[in-house]
Amino acid sequence: MLSRLKSLSSNQFTVILALYYVCVFNIPFFQIVKQGVEKQADVNLVFIATIPLFLIFALSFIFSIFSFKYLAKPFFILLTLMSSSVFFAALQYGVVFDYGMIENTFETNSAEAMTYLNWASVLNFVATGVVPALLIYKANIEFKPLAKELLYKLALMATMLIGIGIIAIFYYQNYVSFGRNNDIIKRHIIPTYFIGSTAKYININYLQEPIKYKPLGLDAKNITNKQNDKPNLVVLVVGETAREMNYEYYGYGKPTNAHTKGQGLLTFKDTHSCGTATAVSLPCMFSRMDREDYQSRQAKAQDNAIDVLNHAGIGLDWLDNDSGCKGVCRNIDNILIEHDSDPDLCNGQYCYDQVLLNTLDDRLSTISSKDSLIVLHIIGSHGPTYYLRYPDEHRFFTPDCQRSDIQNCSDEELMNTYDNTILYTDYIVSQVVKKLQAKSEEFDTAMLYISDHGESLGESGMYLHGAPYAFAPEEQTKVPFLGWFSAGFAKQNKLDLSCLAKEAEQGDYSHDNLFDSLLGLMNVRTEVYQQDKDIFSNCRQ
């Protein structure tokens, strides 16, 4: 469009750009508006018709601030390319780029980012990002002398404000009411919301003065009082993107827990995550702070559960086949699996979780004779390339979805692929239990498995994860939580397993319980320990 015009004034350029953003990039926004309208019994069609006008006026006003010579082209080229990617994620997967998603994006490694690359995403980026960016680059924008340019710009901005004001005069109450009933719609406006979230993230993490570090649990002590001399050995498997509803243990109709059946695992029901993305959930679940008062910046400036266990002298290891521990394991021995470390299990971009079993074997062969906790952070069910999370010999549910543009797979294919990842994770957990059973002569052993967050698989048009928690569906917030305890561990640590089975059945748990439950399970006491949040405390004899 821009290339056909001989020349454009900066005001014309601004309005055309605003029209493009409203008509293309804000399609997901209007889909949310449509859903809100459908929920209303009485719809004022004229009010609905003013919404795109309001958005054009508002974006034209905002864009005018940046439509100056030497700034306009580089700024809007970059903004358009960024908006194109955000638009695709919002349109295809229902992703909202709030602060948590921006945090997750900044902490995503290159291998993980590549899983989102497919023909659909590339074509979208070219069509809605690269081509408009080239048109912006080639556009002949005529800027007047500075004083005159400012006057023309102020006139445009005033006109846009008048338009907004007229709409407000007639429909202010409609906007207030509609906004309150559909609060999520503002999160879908492109580019204002993702730019605001990005600015907030940069300000908090790079511009604000660092918070003074706060150590916790320096008084922590291991109060184990056992009749034998065998140390405790606990393996905590932290899952990735596993949702409760696809677990056979929670009533799912497919055999997704076939490998651990018969191993005597306890199933803790109705467990909720701390966030809907790894960058939030992982540090939150180990933090002393609960979900409702969790703040990433503060969490990074204080000790977590792993640190408190370290203060108590517990042996600690973190073995990672995902995107890193997000700072949780910063003060202990940790291994991030290299993606070329095993030619049979890795391809240079990712590894199957079986690689962690080999690493666990190495660690178990040299583990010290003291109470120890080993964390396995698996890649689990990370999407959208679910089919890359399990080897062919574990491809049980077919037909599956062998592509990353999962929105183009059938519901059956997509669910089968995801279920294969759950079944493969179940295999990994079963192998961990077997390895712990083999160590029963040397250690009293136990295993916990819990996922960091869930996943949407097309329900209500949503895919993947990362939705704002207040609006996130249960698919993204309800997670599996499993436990296995050897007879020796239960006896020597005075843990009544029949009592614990009843507690697990009652449910109502969350990531908020993990901090104190880990301390309790490892017999660590400190002033920061809260017994009422320790899920094992009621079943200690």
Side-chain angles (χ1 to χ4, degrees):
M1 182 186 295
L2 298 177
S3 62
R4 295 178 185 173
L5 300 175
K6 238 182 173 184
S7 64
L8 293 169
S9 69
S10 62
N11 284 355
Q12 290 173 325
F13 171 81
T14 299
V15 174
I16 291 172
L17 201 61
L19 283 168
Y20 176 72
Y21 272 68
V22 171
C23 295
V24 177
F25 288 153
N26 279 283
I27 290 175
F29 166 79
F30 289 113
Q31 289 177 334
I32 301 300
V33 171
K34 179 175 179 289
Q35 293 174 13
V37 170
E38 290 172 346
K39 291 187 295 185
Q40 291 190 179
D42 184 23
V43 179
N44 186 324
L45 294 179
V46 179
F47 155 66
I48 299 301
T50 68
I51 294 177
L53 286 175
F54 182 93
L55 203 55
I56 290 170
F57 294 154
L59 289 184
S60 295
F61 180 89
I62 295 170
F63 287 175
S64 293
I65 300 172
F66 303 95
S67 299
F68 285 95
K69 193 174 184 179
Y70 307 120
L71 173 63
K73 286 191 175 183
F75 177 83
F76 286 111
I77 286 173
L78 178 60
L79 184 65
T80 299
L81 294 174
M82 292 170 61
S83 297
S84 173
S85 298
V86 171
F87 160 70
F88 181 78
L91 182 67
Q92 297 296 330
Y93 304 123
V95 174
V96 176
F97 281 80
D98 62 350
Y99 180 88
M101 180 53 69
I102 295 298
E103 182 177 32
N104 202 48
T105 302
F106 270 81
E107 297 186 15
T108 296
N109 58 39
S110 58
E112 183 178 340
M114 289 298 292
T115 64
Y116 295 91
L117 191 65
N118 52 61
W119 281 111
S121 63
V122 171
L123 289 174
N124 169 83
F125 186 68
V126 171
T128 67
V130 174
V131 171
L134 287 173
L135 293 176
I136 293 172
Y137 175 75
K138 292 182 177 180
N140 181 18
I141 307 173
E142 290 188 349
F143 292 96
K144 298 174 176 59
L146 184 58
K148 196 171 183 180
E149 180 69 29
L150 284 173
L151 287 175
Y152 273 79
K153 197 171 296 296
L154 288 173
L156 174 66
M157 296 172 75
T159 302
M160 298 301 105
L161 284 178
I162 290 171
I164 292 172
I166 292 172
I167 292 174
I169 289 171
F170 291 98
Y171 298 107
Y172 175 77
Q173 291 299 333
N174 298 78
Y175 274 90
V176 171
S177 177
F178 192 77
R180 285 176 179 172
N181 294 330
N182 303 275
D183 186 60
I184 196 172
I185 62 172
K186 65 184 179 184
R187 301 168 186 259
H188 286 269
I189 299 176
I190 297 175
T192 55
Y193 198 77
F194 86 83
I195 290 296
S197 298
T198 303
K200 180 179 178 182
Y201 176 84
I202 292 173
N203 179 51
I204 289 175
N205 290 276
Y206 298 104
L207 301 181
Q208 289 186 7
E209 184 178 347
I211 299 174
K212 184 179 179 181
Y213 194 86
K214 179 182 179 181
L216 297 176
L218 295 178
D219 63 330
K221 289 182 174 58
N222 186 348
I223 60 168
T224 299
N225 183 20
K226 302 171 67 177
Q227 296 177 351
N228 64 11
D229 295 326
K230 290 196 294 186
N232 289 330
L233 171 59
V234 178
V235 173
L236 170 62
V237 182
V238 179
E240 168 68 54
T241 321
R243 67 186 199 178
E244 179 195 274
M245 62 185 60
N246 285 64
Y247 268 64
E248 186 180 2
Y249 287 129
Y250 295 100
Y252 190 51
K254 292 160 72 172
T256 52
N257 296 117
H259 297 292
T260 56
K261 280 290 186 69
Q263 288 187 322
L265 271 65
L266 296 180
T267 304
F268 297 89
K269 293 188 175 180
D270 196 24
T271 302
H272 292 265
S273 67
C274 190
T276 62
T278 304
V280 177
S281 267
L282 192 62
C284 180
M285 65 198 292
F286 286 92
S287 169
R288 173 66 284 175
M289 291 180 282
D290 293 341
R291 183 188 68 79
E292 291 186 353
D293 60 3
Y294 176 78
Q295 294 183 22
S296 175
R297 188 164 175 259
Q298 290 184 348
K300 291 176 181 178
Q302 63 180 237
D303 285 341
N304 55 49
I306 298 297
D307 297 315
V308 176
L309 291 171
N310 197 23
H311 296 328
I314 303 297
L316 296 161
D317 289 278
W318 186 290
L319 312 179
D320 203 301
N321 186 41
D322 200 1
S323 55
C325 69
K326 311 303 182 187
V328 176
C329 63
R330 57 186 175 249
N331 296 320
I332 65 168
D333 291 337
N334 62 87
I335 297 174
L336 181 61
I337 300 296
E338 297 291 337
H339 293 154
D340 57 358
S341 59
D342 188 321
D344 295 325
L345 298 173
C346 307
N347 71 352
Q349 292 186 330
Y350 65 89
C351 299
Y352 296 124
D353 282 325
Q354 281 172 261
V355 73
L356 283 175
L357 299 178
N358 299 336
T359 310
L360 179 61
D361 282 335
D362 294 339
R363 186 67 193 100
L364 291 177
S365 66
T366 60
I367 194 168
S368 62
S369 56
K370 65 177 181 178
D371 288 356
S372 299
L373 172 71
I374 300 175
V375 182
L376 304 184
H377 186 200
I378 65 175
I379 198 168
S381 303
H382 198 289
T385 51
Y386 306 114
Y387 71 99
L388 298 179
R389 303 296 168 240
Y390 52 90
D392 285 340
E393 58 267 28
H394 289 270
R395 188 184 178 195
F396 183 80
F397 302 107
T398 57
D400 54 354
C401 175
Q402 297 280 314
R403 54 198 296 177
S404 61
D405 52 336
I406 54 177
Q407 70 278 6
N408 293 319
C409 295
S410 70
D411 292 342
E412 179 189 15
E413 290 171 336
L414 179 55
M415 200 61 70
N416 281 340
T417 311
Y418 185 79
D419 287 341
N420 280 331
T421 69
I422 300 297
L423 182 59
Y424 182 59
T425 292
D426 193 63
Y427 168 76
I428 299 299
V429 170
S430 73
Q431 294 303 303
V432 170
V433 171
K434 289 179 180 179
K435 292 180 186 301
L436 291 176
Q437 289 172 329
K439 282 287 182 179
S440 61
E441 295 298 319
E442 305 169 54
F443 297 90
D444 290 324
T445 57
M447 186 280 309
L448 294 177
Y449 167 83
I450 190 167
S451 183
D452 60 351
H453 55 78
E455 186 86 328
S456 288
L457 297 173
E459 297 88 2
S460 302
M462 298 182 69
Y463 293 87
L464 304 177
H465 52 266
Y469 203 94
F471 308 99
E474 286 192 340
E475 288 86 356
Q476 296 189 32
T477 61
K478 291 190 73 172
V479 296
F481 182 17
L482 311 174
W484 173 86
F485 308 89
S486 68
F489 184 94
K491 179 180 178 181
Q492 294 300 323
N493 290 277
K494 300 179 175 58
L495 190 62
D496 186 339
L497 293 185
S498 61
C499 167
L500 189 58
K502 293 178 182 178
E503 290 279 323
E505 183 67 24
Q506 291 178 4
D508 193 21
Y509 302 106
S510 76
H511 282 166
D512 293 348
N513 295 110
L514 188 64
F515 185 102
D516 302 288
S517 298
L518 282 179
L519 267 59
L521 197 64
M522 300 306 298
N523 300 296
V524 169
R525 293 298 179 270
T526 165
E527 63 179 2
V528 297
Y529 168 74
Q530 298 177 20
Q531 184 175 345
D532 62 322
K533 291 184 178 178
D534 177 0
I535 63 176
F536 305 110
S537 63
N538 290 336
C539 297
R540 289 196 183 91
Q541 299 169 337

